[in-house]
Amino acid sequence: MGLVAENLAAVRARIDQACRAAGRDPAEVRLLPVTKGHGPDLIGEAYAAGARIFGENKAQEVADKAGQLADKPGLAWAVIGHLQTNKAKVVAQLAAEFHALDSAKVAEALDRRLDNEGRDLDVFLQVNSSGEESKYGLDPADVEQFAKSMRQYRSLRVRGLMTLAVFSDDQAAVARCFERMQQLQVRLQNTDLAAGSYAELSMGMSGDFELAIRYGATTVRVGQAIFGPRPEPDETGHR
Ligand SMILES: *Cc1c(COP(=O)(O)O)cnc(C)c1O
């Protein structure tokens, strides 16, 4: 077994263990391998090991890699990073999921492009759960209003919420971010929004996915623990 396949299996085992520790069914938690910064060879190894959907935080990187990996049937992309409206077309054409929806401007641009393409897109509303200035995402206080506004976008299918917790060694501070998301999810599920489902929580990365699972994560986005360090640091401050 190659290193990527071994790492995928090891991360999956840790997810299953975290589920058992939290009294959850491991089938509820999906592993989304994050391939940003890595080339088609490593992605091909993960594909050979059975992975079919990959997370990328830049639309342009998806466009490049979709071309390089066009020979792989069933391979899908989740765009998990902030999107500029001028890149909405790429996401509308190539992505199966978008995890970083946090503005009406981007929602409108995506919806219009998707309508042109005759496609639908699964989306997650990104929430700034840590309150850090540097982070994208909706203010938790604005999420309910934004969720209500989603009904006007016919091509966007809301699946749930997404966040990046504070990047810190302080486990309690990280846990507070995830707990805030879980509370927000419960509130949305008890509100008549007339659009979308809030069954999903996309949260948890290499350094904190076990904690995220304790607070209800249904998709964990894991890069380094599978693919090793990235060649360049990105805007999340993670390597
Ligand atoms: C890079 C990235 C991840 C994965 O981070 P790792 O620390 O490599 O696991 C998850 N989510 C987003 C939005 C990212 O940009």
Side-chain angles (χ1 to χ4, degrees):
M1 195 161 36
L3 188 58
V4 167
E6 269 175 37
N7 291 344
L8 269 172
V11 169
R12 187 65 240 183
R14 285 170 61 191
I15 291 170
D16 294 355
Q17 178 55 36
C19 285
R20 282 190 294 274
R24 299 183 57 196
D25 178 356
E28 284 173 20
V29 180
R30 176 175 68 141
L31 170 58
L32 177 64
V34 174
T35 46
K36 67 181 182 208
H38 294 296
D41 291 356
L42 281 190
I43 303 174
E45 281 184 44
Y47 180 91
R52 285 297 176 271
I53 178 159
F54 299 101
E56 287 283 343
N57 66 346
K58 292 202 182 78
Q60 189 53 51
E61 223 171 302
V62 170
D64 296 343
K65 291 176 185 174
Q68 293 160 346
L69 293 155
D71 61 329
K72 306 257 185 287
L75 191 155
W77 301 99
V79 174
I80 60 175
H82 182 72
L83 183 68
Q84 234 93 56
T85 50
N86 63 356
K87 290 278 158 47
K89 186 175 179 180
V90 179
V91 173
Q93 287 178 332
L94 298 176
E97 299 177 10
F98 177 54
H99 289 228
L101 186 58
D102 66 355
S103 75
K105 236 170 66 180
V106 169
E108 273 158 29
L110 277 174
D111 194 52
R112 197 173 53 242
R113 294 296 191 179
L114 286 159
D115 194 45
N116 291 343
E117 302 289 333
R119 295 187 66 219
D120 287 346
L121 182 67
D122 286 346
V123 298
F124 294 71
L125 312 188
Q126 183 172 355
V127 179
N128 182 349
S129 60
S130 68
E132 293 166 286
E133 288 280 341
S134 61
K135 288 247 164 76
Y136 288 110
L138 298 156
D139 185 311
D142 298 334
V143 174
E144 190 174 321
Q145 200 52 45
F146 191 76
K148 283 182 175 158
S149 78
M150 291 305 292
R151 76 186 72 169
Q152 67 193 288
Y153 307 117
R154 292 211 318 254
S155 305
L156 304 179
R157 274 194 307 258
V158 182
R159 296 258 305 265
L161 304 174
M162 176 273 208
T163 203
L164 285 116
V166 64
F167 184 51
S168 165
D169 291 334
D170 178 356
Q171 292 288 293
V174 177
R176 274 196 297 279
C177 294
F178 294 143
E179 189 177 21
R180 203 166 285 144
M181 296 298 289
Q182 197 171 35
Q183 290 166 348
L184 203 49
Q185 180 189 36
V186 169
R187 209 166 73 221
L188 291 175
Q189 287 178 324
N190 289 318
T191 306
D192 180 20
L193 297 164
S197 145
Y198 289 84
E200 296 234 26
L201 287 178
S202 167
M203 58 187 198
M205 306 168 51
S206 292
D208 58 16
F209 68 84
E210 282 137 325
L211 195 53
I213 287 168
R214 196 187 307 166
Y215 289 95
T218 61
T219 294
V220 295
R221 310 178 308 267
V222 179
Q224 309 171 71
I226 298 168
F227 299 104
R230 284 179 283 276
E232 297 291 337
D234 71 6
E235 71 271 16
T236 66
H238 296 230
R239 286 197 68 109

